[in-house]
Amino acid sequence: MHIHNHFPIDYYAYNSAIRNWNTSYKMLFAFTAIIAVISSGNFFIPVYTFLFMGFVNTHIARLSIKEYLKALQIPFLFILLGSIAIGGNIILMLNIILKAASAVSAMYLVTLSTPAGEIITSLKRLHLPGLFIELMYLIYRYIFILSEEVHKMHNAGVARLGYINYRTSFKSFSMMLVNLLIVSLKNSRNYYNAMEARCYNGSIGFYNEKKKISWLQLLLFLIYFLFLITGQLASTI
């Protein structure tokens, strides 16, 4: 699977083997697992959830282990840096790292297998404010637009030896930030004009495809919580 150097969530979502699974089911599964992880009082549930979700994302959703580990790199870095603040208590720090990593792996069940439009449609069914949902979607889309621009600017700078030493690297990075601001303002205007040209009236509509919940999905949900409850009871004995 050949992709860009930056992390393309949409690429994985559209090519996932479980893309056709019911979106509401995946979101319910992920959020329930996250609640179980957050409310856990031991190491078993976070570790079990991390391994189980990793198995689903790699073996069932058909995402390679290398790509899955790459997807975990950025959030894990923030998790590690955030936990350093409480580094005086090793047990507490390890507990927070495990819970956060497990929560991320559960969220990847949704984000790495579901296009953003389908997630937005499911959120609309929960009757969340329309403005909040549409802003979330537009910000999500624009992040990847800017990411693509940064990727192009960086490649252009490397081709012109703009990162040959620390001094030129700092200068190239500063120029890239200035150019990124200009490009982002220009693109925001262009994309809004494109939306208006497509009859945008303040509300974004998405195609809603009905997806049934299969027995396999229900069985997977049952297996996760059956082993979770069994392991939790065993750890308390």
Side-chain angles (χ1 to χ4, degrees), residues 113-149:
S113 65
T114 313
E118 295 182 14
I119 297 177
I120 295 299
T121 301
S122 295
L123 291 177
K124 283 186 175 180
R125 293 187 185 134
L126 298 176
H127 302 289
L128 295 177
L131 179 62
F132 168 77
I133 294 175
E134 291 182 5
L135 281 176
M136 181 177 68
Y137 177 76
L138 291 174
I139 292 171
Y140 168 82
R141 297 302 307 170
Y142 207 66
I143 287 174
F144 291 101
I145 292 171
L146 293 182
S147 176
E148 184 69 24
E149 294 295 338

Side-chain angles (χ1 to χ4, degrees), residues 32-82:
T32 306
I34 291 173
I35 292 174
V37 167
I38 294 175
S39 60
S40 65
N42 54 45
F43 291 138
F44 169 75
I45 294 179
V47 172
Y48 167 68
T49 300
F50 181 81
L51 295 176
F52 187 92
M53 294 301 174
F55 173 81
V56 173
N57 284 315
T58 55
H59 289 76
I60 299 180
R62 302 297 181 186
L63 181 66
S64 73
I65 296 177
K66 180 180 179 180
E67 291 165 345
Y68 183 64
L69 292 176
K70 181 180 178 181
L72 289 172
Q73 283 180 357
I74 296 177
F76 186 78
L77 179 61
F78 282 99
I79 292 169
L80 189 61
L81 292 175

